[in-house]
Amino acid sequence: MGLFGNRDSFIGSTTLTWEDNEKRNNVMWKAPRNIKFFDQVVVREDEMAVFYRDGKALAYIDRPDRYALTSLDAPIIGAVLKAIGGIKQPAEVFYIQKRVFDGKFGSKQPYVFRDNEFGIVNLRVFGEFRYKVSIPMNFINQFVGTLNCQTAMEVEERLKEQIVMLLYDVIGDLKNKGIGVADLASNLTNIEQVFLERSKSHYEQYGISIEKVSGLYITMPEEVQKAVDARSSMSILGTNYMQYQTGQAMREAAVNPSGGAAGAGVGVGAGFGMGYMMVDQMRQAGQQPAQAAAPAPAPAPSGVPCVKCGTAVPQGSKFCPACGTKQEQAACPKCGAGVAPGAKFCANCGERLGESTCPKCNAKLAAGSKFCPECGSPVG
Ligand SMILES: [Zn+2]
Ligand SMILES: [Zn+2]
Ligand SMILES: [Zn+2]
C-alpha cells in the first residue's frame, strides 16, 4: 500500500501449480495460498482447478493451459473472474486429479444385523473400489463445503465411510427380502452388483463415479461364524440347526450347571431341546425291537443305521464307514430294500419283518409267509 501500491501487487503475484511431488496418490490438493488478481493458474492435462469461496465452489477449469487472471478476454477465465468477483475477494483454489483412483474400504462401526436364526449379529464389510471425480463442482461442494475436508486423505476417509454406509443399505434391503447372515457369503457378488448400480445415483451429488467394487467380504463374530459354518455343513446332512444348537446348549449346561451364558441358552431353547430328545429316544427305540411299538422312522435315504454306532451305512456296503463294524443286512422280502438287523418293519415300504406269529394258532411264521405252516391259515 501507500508508496509502493501497484508495484507490491505485481511483485506479489504467484503462479499456482500442482507439483508432481505433491500429487502422487492425492485426488485433491488445496493450493497453499488464496489466488489474487495478478496470479496465474497452471492447469495440466490430468487435472482440474476449482475456485472456492465462502463454502461454495464458484467455477472450475478443466482444460490444460496457463491462465492469467488478468486476461479478461479469455472466455473461460472471464467466467471464473466474474464468479470470484475479481480482485477484492480472493478465492481458494482446489486442484483435482482426473484419473481413476484405487482404494480399500472397511467398516469402522459394525452393521447390526437382526437375524431370525442367529439373533443380533455385528457385521463388518471390507473390499476394494475404483473411483474418479466426475463432477468437480459437486465434489468440492460436498467434500470441502459440506464435509469440511481439506486434504486428499480426509476426502478418502469420508468416501470410504460413504461406501460402507451404502453397502449397509444394500445388506439391509437383502435382509428385508429374507436373506440371513448364513446366506451372505453366497451373495457377495450380488451385493457388489446392487451396490454398483445404486452408487450411480448415490454418488452423483458427491461428484464421484464408482468404477468398480471388488473383493468384498463380510465378517461376523467368530462364534457366529462357527455356528454358520456348522449350520451349512449340517444342512448338507439334513439336520436342523435349531436342534443342533439346543443340543449343544444342553451339553454345555450339563458341563456347567451354574448357568451363565449357557444357562440362558437352555432357557430359550429348552422347548426345542425336549423335542429333540424325544425324537432321539424314538429313533433309538426303533432300533431296539423289544421296545418298538411303531414302525421305526425311515432312516436317511443314504443308508441303514450301523448295528453298532448308528451311523448311516450306504446301501450295499458291508462295513460301517464310521466304526468299521460288519453289517449283516437283511433284505425286505417285499421291496428288497436293506433293513437293519432286528428291525420289525421295513423302513422303505413298511412291511412287517422278521419272525411273526400266526394270528390264529400263534405259531411262528417265517418272514414273507403267505400261509401258516401249522394251521394253514392265510397270513400277512
Ligand atoms: Zn458303526
Ligand atoms: Zn420293504
Ligand atoms: Zn397258524
Side-chain angles (χ1 to χ4, degrees):
M1 286 297 141
L3 279 173
F4 299 102
N6 288 341
R7 202 167 156 252
D8 259 358
S9 299
F10 186 73
I11 289 171
S13 80
T14 308
T15 298
L16 294 184
T17 180
W18 195 1
E19 301 293 345
D20 283 338
N21 60 352
E22 303 264 15
K23 220 161 172 176
R24 299 169 192 271
N25 283 322
N26 295 318
V27 65
M28 180 189 90
W29 181 68
K30 181 186 178 183
R33 50 162 290 185
N34 292 350
I35 193 160
K36 292 183 296 191
F37 189 61
F38 291 103
D39 291 342
Q40 296 192 340
V41 184
V42 173
V43 177
R44 288 184 293 181
E45 199 149 342
D46 59 345
E47 60 196 31
M48 304 177 266
V50 181
F51 299 85
Y52 175 89
R53 193 179 58 218
D54 300 331
K56 265 196 81 177
L58 305 166
Y60 75 99
I61 304 172
D62 67 349
R63 272 198 264 158
D65 208 340
R66 169 184 283 264
Y67 298 91
L69 292 201
T70 46
S71 55
L72 287 160
D73 298 341
I76 299 169
I77 208 71
V80 169
L81 267 185
K82 200 180 165 196
I84 67 176
I87 326 128
K88 283 170 188 162
Q89 289 181 288
E92 293 173 287
V93 177
F94 286 89
Y95 279 95
I96 295 169
Q97 288 206 60
K98 288 178 180 172
R99 71 174 173 91
V100 166
F101 284 84
D102 289 306
K104 290 181 180 175
F105 60 84
S107 304
K108 284 187 176 152
Q109 300 297 319
Y111 180 83
V112 180
F113 192 106
R114 286 167 211 280
D115 188 80
N116 292 336
E117 200 172 356
F118 297 93
I120 290 176
V121 180
N122 285 340
L123 300 178
R124 289 172 193 272
V125 296
F126 300 89
E128 294 169 20
F129 66 105
R130 313 194 84 186
Y131 72 100
K132 67 175 188 189
V133 177
S134 52
I135 310 169
M137 300 287 274
N138 288 8
F139 179 84
I140 294 298
N141 275 331
Q142 283 295 329
F143 285 101
V144 179
T146 305
L147 300 171
N148 196 30
C149 299
Q150 297 290 307
T151 65
M153 200 183 284
E154 287 168 3
V155 168
E156 253 177 55
E157 281 306 304
R158 292 297 196 153
L159 180 54
K160 289 170 185 179
E161 284 169 19
Q162 291 292 327
I163 287 177
V164 169
M165 292 315 289
L166 185 56
L167 275 168
Y168 284 175
D169 279 355
V170 173
I171 292 171
D173 288 352
L174 285 179
K175 192 220 164 296
N176 292 339
K177 285 179 187 163
I179 283 193
V181 287
D183 308 312
L184 289 174
S186 57
N187 271 286
L188 294 178
T189 310
N190 184 20
I191 293 169
E192 286 177 356
Q193 280 167 356
V194 174
F195 169 86
L196 204 58
E197 190 53 43
R198 234 178 256 184
S199 75
K200 283 173 194 157
S201 57
H202 185 87
Y203 292 112
E204 202 178 271
Q205 59 166 319
Y206 291 90
I208 291 277
S209 119
I210 304 287
E211 309 283 296
K212 190 183 172 188
V213 61
S214 60
L216 176 67
Y217 65 101
I218 299 175
T219 65
M220 54 192 81
E222 200 185 340
E223 65 272 15
V224 181
Q225 186 64 60
K226 276 183 185 162
V228 167
D229 293 345
R231 201 208 72 155
S232 42
S233 60
M234 223 156 294
S235 49
I236 293 166
L237 294 174
T239 312
N240 179 295
Y241 171 74
M242 191 60 89
Q243 291 174 355
Y244 164 81
Q245 195 185 35
T246 49
Q248 191 89 337
M250 299 285 257
R251 274 191 290 281
E252 279 168 19
V255 171
N256 174 25
S258 62
V266 173
V268 173
F272 294 100
M274 294 293 279
Y276 176 54
M277 289 176 76
M278 283 178 70
V279 170
D280 211 35
Q281 281 163 2
M282 282 168 70
R283 189 174 296 139
Q284 283 170 13
Q287 288 160 9
Q288 292 163 7
Q291 297 167 13
S302 53
V304 176
C306 166
V307 292
K308 192 172 178 191
C309 74
T311 299
V313 178
Q315 203 74 247
S317 179
K318 288 207 164 64
F319 297 91
C320 169
C323 70
T325 302
K326 189 170 187 195
Q327 311 291 310
E328 287 174 27
Q329 292 184 359
C332 167
K334 191 172 177 189
C335 73
V339 291
K344 280 202 158 182
F345 298 89
C346 171
N348 187 45
C349 71
E351 175 81 343
R352 198 182 171 92
L353 302 169
E355 286 184 338
S356 55
T357 53
C358 170
K360 197 171 175 189
C361 73
N362 234 15
K364 284 189 175 180
L365 300 171
S369 299
K370 289 203 165 67
F371 298 92
C372 171
E374 291 295 317
C375 69
S377 302
V379 290

